[in-house]
Amino acid sequence: MVIGILALLTGRTGEIITISVFGALTLYIIAMISVLKLREKEPALHRPFKVPFYPVFPIVALVIASFSFVAMAFYNEMLALIYFLLLGLSFAVFKIVKKYNS
């Protein structure tokens, strides 16, 4: 909540929302790739939910999300750079914490 309030006080909420959309699109892309890979690797696995019209819907969703991500990066170069820097920094922190907790 504190981070959200500080973000609002910057007066750049539009840019913050755009960066969060980069994150959402990244998660959509990872989710669709995961669905496709898991179905390929474990076809007999019990699934309580079946994706309608598999594999068409996941592939269409993957293409749309990928196209959207590229278009956003093209039209928001600086925000895409900030997003990738935040992603890289988060990954570095994860690796450091994982190393010290092992």
Side-chain angles (χ1 to χ4, degrees), residues 36-69:
L36 294 168
K37 283 293 196 185
L38 184 60
R39 286 285 179 101
E40 178 184 310
K41 189 174 180 180
E42 298 286 340
L45 190 66
H46 171 71
R47 293 176 173 82
F49 175 79
K50 303 251 186 203
V51 176
F53 303 109
Y54 178 84
V56 175
F57 279 6
I59 291 172
V60 168
L62 178 61
V63 169
I64 291 170
S66 300
F67 179 78
S68 299
F69 190 94

Side-chain angles (χ1 to χ4, degrees), residues 5 7 13-15 18 24 29 36 38 42 51 57 64 99 101:
I5 291 171
T13 53
E15 292 174 353
T18 302
I29 291 167
L36 294 168
L38 184 60
E42 298 286 340
V51 176
F57 279 6
I64 291 170
K99 180 180 177 182
N101 286 337

Side-chain angles (χ1 to χ4, degrees), residues 4-99:
I5 291 171
L6 290 174
L8 286 172
L9 294 175
T10 65
R12 304 186 127 182
T13 53
E15 292 174 353
I16 293 167
I17 291 168
T18 302
I19 292 172
S20 69
V21 171
F22 276 116
L25 287 171
T26 300
L27 292 177
Y28 296 152
I29 291 167
I30 291 170
M32 292 307 108
I33 291 171
S34 297
V35 166
L36 294 168
K37 283 293 196 185
L38 184 60
R39 286 285 179 101
E40 178 184 310
K41 189 174 180 180
E42 298 286 340
L45 190 66
H46 171 71
R47 293 176 173 82
F49 175 79
K50 303 251 186 203
V51 176
F53 303 109
Y54 178 84
V56 175
F57 279 6
I59 291 172
V60 168
L62 178 61
V63 169
I64 291 170
S66 300
F67 179 78
S68 299
F69 190 94
V70 170
M72 282 189 56
F74 181 77
Y75 288 107
N76 300 287
E77 293 174 359
M78 184 55 89
L79 296 178
L81 178 63
I82 292 169
Y83 172 71
F84 285 117
L85 288 173
L86 287 170
L87 202 61
L89 179 65
S90 298
F91 185 70
V93 169
F94 166 75
K95 285 298 207 179
I96 291 168
V97 169
K98 183 180 174 186
K99 180 180 177 182

